Amino acid sequence: MRRWLKLWHLGLLLTSWSAWGAEDLLRLYREAQTTSAAYQAAKAAAEAELENENIAFGQLLPNLSIGGSYNKNNTERQIANGPGEDFRYGSYAYNLNLRQPLFRLYTWATYQQAKEQGKAALQRLNQAGNDLAVRLTSNYFEALYTEEQLRLLAAQKAAVEAQMKAAERALIAGSGTRIDIDEAKARYDLLLAQEVEAQNNQKYQQRSLGAFVNRPISSVARLNVDAFKPVSPNPDNLDAWIAAAEEANAEYQAKKLMIAAAEQEVTKAQSGHYPTLDLVASTGKSQNDNLTTLNRFGDSNYTTSAWGVQLNVPLFAGGQVAATTRQAQAKLEQVRQEAEEIRRNIGVQMGREFDNVAQGIAKIRALELAEASGRQTVLSTKKGVQAGVRSMLDVLEIERQYYSTLRDLAQARYAYLIASLKMKGIAGVLSDADIEALNARLKIAP
């Protein structure tokens, strides 16, 4: 009993270690949000861009400065042939200056432009989050597919090895041929080569997945195929998805905001023809500021203050304003056309992923039927060998087709899930809840 308990505890330990060692999608996604270099770079870029609004707003606020000086002066003076005079005195002066812009079209347009650019930066950050989710999920399922390939190759190797041994026994018994053995051996060697390639691909996918979280990844949670049921897009209408994408796609929204920013650039260029008006005020104090203020009664002190408005009206700038305006208008048109290109591409991309989902569902169902019939065909062919109506070569070929169907089915499931995620990413509605729902389709398996 004690020995049995030890074995039972060991089994629990190994099971928990396997569960802990397999990484699920949600855990990796949460971690990648704080460790992905690309996403952190996009986040830092957005934070830097948002500060432009504060910088521009600061140019609309009062500018207050203070300045001063203190000097020790030594002056020798001689008038004609008179006696020389030596003056030694101290002097100081300080001023407090205030400037408040009242009308500066350029500064106001810069502030409005910075606000639009900040909104665009947030949209680009949203797009970076979508890209992170899609790239991580795609990489995750690529890693799963390589693991599935290795499992299928291992099962196929075991089946071919069993067939090879059966062929050897049949040859000894006089009912088999050498061709059966050679064919099985050739098929087995081919599987070994495919296994090496799959192992290399698995290492690559694991390294790529580990790059998101900056640590090694050894295994990932598998798809729960027993509960896998693909569903059609909701709504099941391509035009509705395209319309939603044009309203919420992060990349498109960012470019539309850049149109507004480019319009403010035109205003900035045109502001060269507009006057500027500032409120100015100053106050200061000085003592013995120069030699002529010295007198026999002691130090001379002055306190001054002034306030008023300062107007600057541009008259001629050599055509620079007109040229700058034309340049800004051309760049505005460039941004508008870039936005139109993105809008058109949204329709193309959404159509592709929508079709991938719809066709993926049909493909999965067809392959599931093919898998069931293929499994039955393998059993029937093996019975045919026993009955003498089928050969060992027939079994090898049927098994090859069966395992090929299993690989295609696994790939179709992963492609369907990725296409569904990409659809939501393009539409701008991808959220953490979608990753959580996708993660619920996985299961920890040793």
Side-chain angles (χ1 to χ4, degrees):
M1 176 66 70
R2 189 172 298 173
R3 182 180 180 184
W4 181 87
L5 285 174
K6 289 182 179 179
L7 292 174
W8 181 72
H9 283 298
L10 179 61
L12 284 180
L13 179 63
L14 291 174
T15 302
S16 63
W17 181 87
S18 298
W20 178 84
E23 306 279 358
D24 66 33
L25 177 62
L26 184 59
R27 182 194 306 174
L28 290 174
Y29 175 66
R30 295 293 191 202
E31 190 173 349
Q33 286 179 314
T34 59
T35 58
S36 169
Y39 183 69
Q40 292 304 311
K43 187 176 179 181
E47 291 173 352
E49 192 70 34
L50 288 172
E51 290 299 329
N52 283 333
E53 181 178 345
N54 296 326
I55 295 172
F57 184 67
Q59 297 175 5
L60 297 173
L61 298 179
N63 187 304
L64 188 64
S65 64
I66 187 170
S69 64
Y70 177 80
N71 298 288
K72 286 289 188 178
N73 304 284
N74 184 6
T75 303
E76 294 181 357
R77 182 174 66 180
Q78 184 173 12
I79 301 176
N81 295 323
E85 296 177 284
D86 188 8
F87 298 92
R88 297 180 183 272
Y89 63 95
S91 65
Y92 71 84
Y94 64 81
N95 291 280
L96 183 64
N97 303 297
L98 171 70
R99 179 180 293 272
Q100 170 61 60
L102 298 179
F103 179 79
R104 285 181 176 264
L105 183 59
Y106 184 93
T107 305
W108 178 253
T110 299
Y111 174 60
Q112 296 298 323
Q113 183 183 52
K115 290 200 296 184
E116 299 299 331
Q117 290 172 338
K119 295 175 185 178
L122 291 177
Q123 290 292 343
R124 286 193 292 270
L125 182 59
N126 290 338
Q127 183 62 38
N130 286 344
D131 291 343
L132 174 64
V134 171
R135 289 189 298 110
L136 176 66
T137 303
S138 299
N139 204 150
Y140 186 94
F141 286 130
E142 286 291 342
L144 267 184
Y145 179 60
T146 58
E147 289 188 2
E148 188 71 21
Q149 283 181 304
L150 286 172
R151 282 191 290 270
L152 291 174
L153 285 170
Q156 194 172 359
K157 276 171 53 184
V160 172
E161 189 174 14
Q163 295 298 328
M164 188 164 53
K165 291 180 179 179
E168 290 173 350
R169 290 194 297 270
L171 180 62
I172 293 174
S175 58
T177 65
R178 184 66 191 179
I179 295 177
D180 292 336
I181 299 175
D182 293 340
E183 181 66 23
K185 181 65 169 59
R187 190 66 55 84
Y188 187 82
D189 292 339
L190 179 61
L191 290 173
L192 287 177
Q194 293 175 347
E195 187 177 45
V196 171
E197 181 180 2
Q199 288 171 345
N200 289 336
N201 193 27
Q202 181 189 38
K203 291 178 182 178
Y204 170 75
Q205 296 299 337
Q206 288 176 347
R207 291 192 188 102
S208 299
L209 196 58
F212 285 97
V213 293
N214 196 32
R215 62 180 177 83
I217 301 295
S218 58
S219 62
V220 292
R222 294 164 57 184
L223 182 66
N224 187 0
V225 296
D226 297 331
F228 183 85
K229 293 181 180 179
V231 295
S232 299
N234 184 25
D236 194 5
N237 181 279
L238 175 58
D239 291 336
W241 279 94
I242 293 177
E246 291 181 357
E247 289 296 324
N249 179 271
E251 183 183 9
Y252 183 48
Q253 295 306 312
K255 186 60 71 171
K256 285 176 31 176
L257 289 166
M258 291 308 296
I259 292 177
E263 290 173 344
Q264 293 298 327
E265 188 67 27
V266 174
T267 303
K268 286 167 61 178
Q270 293 172 339
S271 68
H273 287 310
Y274 286 76
T276 62
L277 182 65
D278 297 339
L279 171 67
V280 294
S282 65
T283 183
K285 187 174 183 180
S286 63
Q287 182 185 85
N288 298 332
D289 54 352
N290 58 64
L291 184 62
T292 60
T293 62
L294 292 175
N295 60 70
R296 59 189 178 88
F297 299 107
D299 295 331
S300 298
N301 295 289
Y302 301 89
T303 300
T304 59
S305 61
W307 67 273
V309 292
Q310 189 175 83
L311 176 67
N312 181 36
V313 180
L315 297 178
F316 180 68
Q320 296 181 40
V321 175
T324 304
T325 301
R326 291 193 299 270
Q327 182 185 61
Q329 289 171 338
K331 290 184 177 180
L332 171 60
E333 181 61 21
Q334 176 187 353
V335 178
R336 283 174 174 164
Q337 294 303 322
E338 288 173 350
E340 175 62 17
E341 180 69 13
I342 292 175
R343 189 194 67 80
R344 296 177 187 180
N345 286 336
I346 284 175
V348 175
Q349 294 171 8
M350 183 62 77
R352 179 184 61 190
E353 301 305 333
F354 186 89
D355 290 342
N356 286 341
V357 171
Q359 295 171 6
I361 294 173
K363 186 176 182 180
I364 289 170
R365 290 171 179 168
L367 288 171
E368 286 175 343
L369 294 174
E371 186 272 335
S373 60
R375 184 171 59 252
Q376 182 60 44
T377 302
V378 170
L379 295 175
S380 300
T381 304
K382 288 181 178 179
K383 291 181 180 179
V385 172
Q386 296 174 355
V389 296
R390 288 296 187 98
S391 68
M392 194 70 69
L393 297 179
D394 294 330
V395 174
L396 291 174
E397 179 59 24
I398 292 298
E399 285 184 337
R400 185 192 67 79
Q401 295 177 6
Y402 174 63
Y403 283 107
S404 178
T405 301
L406 290 178
R407 284 193 297 271
D408 292 343
L409 178 57
Q411 188 176 40
R413 285 168 175 158
Y414 300 143
Y416 159 79
L417 292 174
I418 293 173
S420 300
L421 201 67
K422 285 183 177 180
M423 274 185 61
K424 293 184 176 181
I426 296 171
V429 296
L430 181 61
S431 65
D432 289 2
D434 296 302
I435 304 298
E436 293 172 1
L438 195 55
N439 192 70
R441 291 174 174 258
L442 306 176
K443 64 178 181 180
I444 301 296

